[in-house]
């Protein structure tokens, strides 16, 4: 059986590496350090789920999320925001733009698996 494909988008190498170490045994994980090419990568690799940071240079996560949800080829991909922005207004904005879940940094491994299950990204 093929592993679930996850795309991690984060400009912080520590966070990307942490998610890779948490998910790498059970999922096929690809990491990218910029939001600029997420649409192209997503249409080619067709991830089953995307973990998306908000605060990134070039194109922030909210812009990437809007682009993903506006594109018919990527609109159904569940997006889980992983961010240091912990205010309720930040979380609400992400969910309003179409995110399926929200994980606050620092990353808690148990929370990663809980949100994956809630977003139905683990099947």
């Amino acid at each position: 059986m093929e592993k679930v494909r996850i795309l991690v988008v984060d400009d912080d190498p520590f966070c990307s590496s942490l998610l890779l170490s948490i998910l790498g045994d059970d999922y096929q994980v690809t990491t990218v350090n910029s939001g600029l090419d997420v649409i192209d990568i997503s249409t080619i690799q067709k991830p089953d789920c995307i973990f998306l940071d908000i605060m990134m240079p070039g194109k922030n996560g909210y812009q990437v999320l809007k682009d993903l949800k506006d594109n018919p080829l990527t609109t159904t991909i569940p997006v889980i925001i992983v961010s240091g922005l912990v205010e309720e207004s930040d979380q609400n904005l992400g969910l309003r733009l179409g995110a399926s879940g929200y994980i606050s940094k620092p990353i808690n491994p148990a929370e990663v698996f809980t949100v994956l299950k809630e977003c139905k990204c683990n099947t």
Side-chain angles (χ1 to χ4, degrees), residues 6-9 30-47 50 68 74 77:
I6 295 179
L7 176 62
V8 174
V9 185
T30 301
T31 62
V32 296
N33 62 3
S34 165
L36 296 175
D37 298 320
V38 172
I39 295 293
D40 292 337
I41 292 166
S42 297
T43 56
I44 293 167
Q45 294 188 357
K46 299 179 182 14
I50 297 172
L68 287 165
T74 58
I77 300 171

Side-chain angles (χ1 to χ4, degrees), residues 42-118:
S42 297
T43 56
I44 293 167
Q45 294 188 357
K46 299 179 182 14
D48 298 298
C49 185
I50 297 172
F51 282 82
L52 178 64
D53 184 24
I54 295 299
M55 297 184 302
M56 295 183 291
K59 187 178 257 195
N60 72 43
Y62 293 129
Q63 294 166 316
V64 172
L65 178 58
K66 183 177 182 329
D67 291 348
L68 287 165
K69 295 306 172 182
D70 287 346
N71 186 316
L73 298 174
T74 58
T75 191
T76 60
I77 300 171
V79 177
I80 299 169
I81 293 174
V82 182
S83 179
L85 299 174
V86 296
E87 297 296 321
E88 189 174 338
S89 61
D90 298 313
Q91 294 178 19
N92 288 339
L93 176 57
L95 297 172
R96 203 168 48 248
L97 289 173
S100 300
Y102 200 103
I103 297 173
S104 298
K105 293 179 182 179
I107 298 168
N108 175 331
E111 185 179 9
V112 170
F113 290 111
T114 298
V115 173
L116 273 172
K117 186 175 181 181
E118 289 171 356

